[in-house]
Amino acid sequence: MAHELPPLPYGFDALEPHIDKETMEIHHDRHHKAYVDNLNAALAKHPEQQDRGLEDLLRNLNSVPEDIRTAVRNNGGGHHNHSLFWQIMGPNAGGAPSGALAQAFEKLGGFDQVKAQVKANGVGRFGSGWSWIALESGGNLWLGSTANQDSPLTDGRTPILGVDVWEHAYYLKYKNLRPAYLDAWWNVVNWAKVDELYRKAGGR
Ligand code: MN
């Protein structure tokens, strides 16, 4: 079964003024679509890999045939990362988390400290990549970044929030000012969704 580009769960202009409509159109319809298309093209070379779920592929990259492993890592990662990214953003969002996730953030110094660390990890990622909040297998939160389209799944972590720091995510509006993009980005975070992912991943 071919992997499919998920529809954006809101309009292209829904995240204005923080993320502009044109960026969203290009990002979803071209960049994300290309990851899906390239993932399917790679898997077509090994039909027995086509029925594996995306999480399975990324969590167990070593079991993917070597000649397509890099393509699956990059494009499968790109597909999974962006699918999460669209979900954890939304219109009329922002604010602060509540419930179990807010309590978990307290153990890391509180919400402001977590935001500062996610920003620092994003600013500090040289070149392209992602800044993450993920769960370790033991249930503890992990704040960190990955290069390119590498997924935290490949390191045994379950991502619950990721912010894309590739230039294509912000360059039209913010130019080279990645820190300004990261500051504005908190206004579009759907914390109810992040909390849901936290609990699904076994956070407590
Ligand atoms: Mn992207």
Side-chain angles (χ1 to χ4, degrees), residues 14-159:
L15 307 183
E16 293 267 8
H18 310 292
I19 303 183
D20 60 286
K21 182 182 176 187
E22 188 181 11
T23 293
M24 291 298 290
E25 280 181 344
I26 296 170
H27 203 171
H28 179 272
D29 288 5
R30 300 194 207 175
H31 289 282
H32 189 172
K33 183 176 187 298
Y35 297 125
V36 174
D37 290 347
N38 291 332
L39 173 64
N40 285 326
L43 294 175
K45 296 174 189 162
H46 290 273
E48 81 284 358
Q49 301 289 316
Q50 289 176 318
D51 288 332
R52 294 179 65 182
L54 184 56
E55 275 208 34
D56 174 30
L57 290 168
L58 294 170
R59 283 189 187 276
N60 304 291
L61 266 183
N62 286 337
S63 67
V64 173
E66 201 171 355
D67 63 313
I68 63 166
R69 194 174 300 155
T70 298
V72 170
R73 174 180 173 174
N74 291 337
N75 296 290
H79 179 25
H80 193 270
N81 294 343
H82 287 85
S83 296
L84 176 75
F85 190 51
W86 312 133
Q87 282 186 56
I88 57 120
M89 298 190 291
N92 309 122
S98 59
L101 185 57
Q103 288 176 9
F105 283 175
E106 286 305 316
K107 292 181 202 160
L108 299 176
F111 182 46
D112 288 342
Q113 180 59 36
V114 168
K115 283 200 296 185
Q117 190 62 53
V118 170
K119 178 183 177 182
N121 290 340
V123 170
R125 168 52 61 187
F126 183 77
S128 298
W130 292 73
S131 178
W132 299 103
I133 301 176
L135 259 75
E136 304 273 16
S137 55
N140 290 326
L141 286 175
W142 172 82
L143 306 182
S145 71
T146 59
N148 305 312
Q149 294 296 351
D150 288 352
S151 169
L153 292 170
T154 304
D155 295 321
R157 301 182 172 110
T158 304

